[in-house]
Amino acid sequence: MTVAVIGAGAFGTALAVALSANGPVALWARDAQAADRMQRTRENSARLEGITIPQNVTVTADLHDLEGRETVLLAMPMQQMSGFLEIHRDLFLTKRLIACSKGIDIASGQGPTGIIRSKCPKAVPAILTGPSFAADIARGLPTALTLACEDVNAGEGLQRALSTPVLRLYRSEDVIGAELGGALKNVIAIAAGVVIGAGLGDSARAAIMTRGFSEMRRVALLRGARVETLNGLSGLGDLVLTCTSQQSRNFRFGHALGRGEDFDPSLTVEGAATAKAVSNLAETHQIDLPIATMVAALVDQKITVEAAVSALMSRPLKEE
């Protein structure tokens, strides 16, 4: 199976490096100069320092170089996916398109596979998600992820083709559950970062993770997902990782919020946009998502950390 990765950020580069163990991989970078530099130096020093890009990874800025690749991994920010596929849909109409983004599109309220279906209806959509950091994958550290695809035969083929000796993929048909787990855990990771940044302690972080997981399950049920999917790698597993590590961009963003510090605006924080989308969902469907709603308010600077904590702690007492 011929493979291409769209997006030469840290995660896209890491996936290309890992999948090169199975054969040649094409890695597309938006910036032609960056693509040329990576192809020559065999490094992505700006995004994934210290990792050597294998010789069987071809880095290119020309999308037409990917025409013969039947399987394409979309490793781009969630809010860019719709526009990208709209512009380039003719190149991807009949391919296997695997979303590697974690989020909800603000404009449409759709997840990654929904965007793929709307823009490339003849393509086979899937999502690769779960607890993983780019540096770990690129270094060949053992990692387990969820590959969700509604087409069972296609999912089994992708699972075999994309698994490596150190990258273990578990297959699921619950695409909605897998993509919601990956999206929503980023929102809770921001909240966990806020708690630690504000000096509220590990006990408070545990409470945020637990009650946040309850909110994740609530949204999943609303959208028709299976609760057991949220209990797996793409939900609980990813939540634990991103709420407890400084490698998590969403956690670091929340940590900066909690400390009242600025955060690097060049870094994509998927959970910030997702929090707004989830807050809109809560309002539309009248479901109780207090943590996600508070994160959205914090991101938009509509509330202070102190006020958010006070609001959460003064909610009516109830049964768990």
Side-chain angles (χ1 to χ4, degrees):
M1 185 180 291
T2 54
V3 176
V5 179
I6 300 289
F11 198 66
T13 303
L15 286 172
V17 170
L19 295 175
S20 69
N22 294 344
V25 177
L27 174 63
W28 180 82
R30 181 181 54 211
D31 186 315
Q33 289 184 334
D36 180 67
R37 184 171 57 252
M38 291 170 63
Q39 179 68 11
R40 286 185 293 102
T41 65
R42 313 310 300 174
E43 291 183 353
N44 185 352
S45 56
R47 298 294 187 183
L48 205 58
E49 190 175 3
I51 300 298
T52 299
I53 299 173
Q55 290 297 325
N56 64 343
V57 175
T58 301
V59 188
T60 180
D62 187 350
L63 282 171
H64 291 285
D65 289 342
L66 313 183
E67 287 182 355
R69 310 279 172 163
E70 59 187 38
T71 300
V72 179
L73 284 76
L74 301 171
M76 62 182 63
M78 181 63 216
Q79 305 309 317
Q80 295 178 15
M81 185 180 294
S82 179
F84 177 86
L85 290 178
E86 177 71 31
I87 294 170
H88 303 293
R89 70 169 71 205
D90 290 346
L91 293 174
F92 304 109
L93 285 177
T94 59
K95 296 185 183 293
R96 297 180 182 91
L97 296 181
I98 306 171
C100 303
S101 304
K102 298 175 180 179
I104 297 173
D105 182 63
I106 294 179
S108 66
Q110 293 179 308
T113 59
I115 295 295
I116 292 171
R117 287 191 197 91
S118 66
K119 303 301 179 183
C120 303
K122 293 184 179 179
V124 177
I127 183 167
L128 184 65
T129 185
S132 55
F133 290 134
D136 292 348
I137 290 176
R139 289 168 57 201
L141 300 180
T143 303
L145 299 175
T146 296
L147 175 71
C149 182
E150 290 180 354
D151 184 320
V152 176
N153 291 332
E156 290 176 347
L158 289 169
Q159 181 184 34
R160 290 192 299 269
L162 301 178
S163 293
T164 77
V166 291
L167 183 61
R168 181 176 176 84
L169 303 187
Y170 286 84
R171 185 171 47 83
S172 173
E173 297 169 39
D174 183 12
V175 171
I176 295 175
E179 64 184 17
L180 280 176
L184 299 173
K185 61 85 188 179
N186 283 334
V187 179
I188 308 307
I190 292 175
V194 169
V195 163
I196 297 302
L200 302 180
D202 287 328
S203 297
R205 170 164 52 184
I208 284 289
M209 290 172 64
T210 306
R211 299 311 305 161
F213 185 56
S214 179
E215 292 189 19
M216 290 169 60
R217 289 162 57 101
R218 215 170 292 155
V219 175
L221 284 172
L222 174 71
R223 300 296 287 266
R226 303 173 193 159
V227 172
E228 56 265 30
T229 303
L230 273 291
N231 294 337
L233 290 166
S234 59
L236 181 59
D238 215 354
L239 177 71
V240 170
L241 183 70
T242 52
C243 287
T244 58
S245 175
Q246 283 285 348
Q247 288 191 70
S248 165
R249 199 175 287 179
N250 291 279
F251 178 84
R252 294 202 312 272
F253 174 74
H255 194 271
L257 278 178
R259 291 176 62 87
E261 299 173 349
D262 293 330
F263 190 77
D264 186 349
S266 70
L267 297 177
T268 300
V269 181
E270 296 282 21
T274 301
K276 297 177 186 179
V278 173
S279 180
N280 293 338
L281 187 72
E283 184 175 352
T284 300
H285 294 277
Q286 292 297 297
I287 58 173
D288 193 26
L289 304 174
I291 296 174
T293 301
M294 287 299 172
V295 170
L298 284 170
V299 168
D300 283 341
Q301 299 182 331
K302 293 180 179 178
I303 193 172
T304 65
V305 172
E306 292 77 13
V309 172
S310 176
L312 288 173
M313 294 301 290
S314 61
R315 283 168 51 82
L317 299 176
K318 62 179 184 178
E319 220 173 28
E320 187 173 26

